[in-house]
C-alpha cells in the first residue's frame, strides 16, 4: 500500500526471488488512501483462492489502517509471514506453525555458525512482534539462556558484554557499540537504517567486527535470509494446502 521506498525494495526483491525458484508471484498494489474494507475484501478473496498458497501484507501500513485487524484477516494456513495470533501462539508453546521470516533466518545463521546453542547466553535487543519477541522464543526453543533488552533497559552495555550471542533489532543507527561486544561473540544485526553515510545497521560494524567471532553485514546479511525463509514458509504452505507430506525440519 502506498509508495514507501523501503517497502518497494522489499517487494521487488521478494518478487524476484519467488520467480527465480519457480513460484507464481502475484502482486496487488493499492493506493495509500485505500479504504480498510477494500483491503480486507482483497485478503478474503485470496484466502478463498485455491491457487494461492501464501499471503503477506507488506508492512508498515498507512496510519488509517488497523494493522492487527489486517493480520488477523489472513488465513493462518496462508500466513507465510507468521504474524497471525494463531501462529504466534504456536511458536510460544512449541507447536508447529509458521515462524516470522527474519528471526527464523537469524536462528539458521546462528546454528550454521555455532551449531548447538544450548546453554549459550543470548541477548535480543528489541521487543517487536516482528523480530524481537519471536527471536527470543526461537532462542529459548534452542535451549539458549535469553535476555530481552529494550529502550528501558538499565546498563545495556554490561548486559550486551556478557552475551555469547547478540541480536540487535532496535532500528537505531549504530546504537550497539563495538566495545560492548564480548570477545568471540556472534552478532546478528537486523537493523537497516538510512543515514547520510548510507545504509547502516544497529551495530557499529567496524568496532564490533574487531572483537566478534562473526557478525552479519548491513546490507546483505539478514535480508537475504528473510527472503529465503519466506520461500521456505511458502513451500511448506503449498505442501499443506495440497495435502502432500513433507519432512519436518528438512528445510
Amino acid at each position: 500500500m502506498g509508495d514507501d521506498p523501503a517497502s518497494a525494495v522489499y517487494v521487488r526483491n521478494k518478487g524476484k526471488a519467488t520467480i527465480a525458484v519457480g513460484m507464481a508471484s502475484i502482486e496487488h498494489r493499492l493506493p495509500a488512501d485505500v479504504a480498510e474494507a477494500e483491503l480486507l475484501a482483497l485478503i478474503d478473496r485470496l484466502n478463498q483462492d485455491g491457487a494461492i498458497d501464501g499471503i503477506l501484507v507488506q508492512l508498515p501500513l498507512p496510519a488509517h489502517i488497523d494493522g492487527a485487524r489486517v493480520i488477523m484477516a489472513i488465513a493462518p494456513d496462508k500466513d507465510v509471514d507468521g504474524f497471525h495470533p494463531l501462529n504466534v501462539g504456536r511458536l510460544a508453546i512449541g507447536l508447529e506453525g509458521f515462524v516470522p521470516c527474519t528471526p527464523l533466518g537469524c536462528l539458521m545463521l546462528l546454528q550454521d555458525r555455532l551449531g548447538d546453542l544450548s546453554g549459550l547466553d543470548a541477548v535480543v535487543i528489541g521487543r517487536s512482534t516482528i523480530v524481537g519477541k519471536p527471536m527470543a522464543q526461537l532462542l529459548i526453543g534452542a535451549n539458549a539462556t535469553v535476555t530481552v533488552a529494550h529502550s528501558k533497559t538499565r546498563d545495556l552495555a554490561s548486559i550486551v558484554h556478557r552475551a555469547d550471542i547478540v541480536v540487535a533489532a532496535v532500528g537505531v543507527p549504530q546504537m550497539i557499540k563495538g566495545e560492548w561486544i564480548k570477545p568471540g561473540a556472534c552478532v546478528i544485526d537486523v537493523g537497516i537504517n538510512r543515514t547520510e553515510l548510507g545504509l547502516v545497521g544497529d551495530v557499529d560494524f567496524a568496532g564490533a567486527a574487531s572483537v566478534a567471532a562473526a557478525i552479519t553485514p548491513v546490507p546483505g546479511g539478514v535480508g537475504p535470509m528473510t527472503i529465503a525463509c519466506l520461500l521456505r514458509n511458502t513451500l511448506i504452505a503449498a505442501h499443506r494446502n495440497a495435502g502432500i507430506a513433507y519432512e519436518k525440519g528438512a528445510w
Side-chain angles (χ1 to χ4, degrees), residues 133-193:
K133 289 178 180 177
M135 187 76 250
Q137 292 288 348
L138 287 171
L139 287 166
I140 290 170
N143 298 315
T145 301
V146 183
T147 299
V148 178
H150 46 75
S151 61
K152 305 297 184 183
T153 299
R154 296 179 181 177
D155 197 7
L156 179 59
S158 66
I159 291 173
V160 172
H161 192 67
R162 72 169 188 246
D164 304 303
I165 295 168
V166 177
V167 181
V170 287
V172 179
Q174 301 179 326
M175 173 181 171
I176 312 305
K177 308 305 179 187
E179 59 266 26
W180 295 6
I181 304 299
K182 174 183 176 181
C186 190
V187 180
I188 304 290
D189 192 347
V190 181
I192 184 162
N193 309 285

Side-chain angles (χ1 to χ4, degrees), residues 101-114 117 122-126 131 135 139 160 163-170 176 181 185-192 201-205 208 212-218 221-223 225-226:
C101 303
T102 295
L104 180 58
C106 293
L107 182 71
M108 289 180 174
L109 287 169
L110 290 167
Q111 291 176 327
D112 181 72
R113 179 75 185 193
L114 301 174
L117 306 184
V123 171
V124 179
I125 309 159
V131 180
M135 187 76 250
L139 287 166
V160 172
D164 304 303
I165 295 168
V166 177
V167 181
V170 287
I176 312 305
I181 304 299
C186 190
V187 180
I188 304 290
D189 192 347
V190 181
I192 184 162
D202 291 348
V203 179
D204 170 16
F205 182 88
I215 182 171
T216 57
V218 176
V222 171
M225 289 300 297
T226 297

Side-chain angles (χ1 to χ4, degrees), residues 4 6-7 10 14 56-61 67 70-71 81 83 130:
D4 179 76
S7 292
Y10 296 149
K14 290 171 183 176
L56 70 86
V57 177
Q58 181 63 46
L59 304 177
L61 294 171
V70 169
I71 296 302
D81 259 342
F83 295 158
I130 295 174

Side-chain angles (χ1 to χ4, degrees), residues 68-104:
R69 186 178 183 190
V70 169
I71 296 302
M72 290 182 68
I74 299 172
D77 289 340
K78 295 188 177 186
D79 169 40
V80 290
D81 259 342
F83 295 158
H84 191 283
L86 280 178
N87 285 316
V88 173
R90 287 169 179 162
L91 174 61
I93 62 175
L95 296 180
E96 184 184 3
F98 291 120
V99 177
C101 303
T102 295
L104 180 58

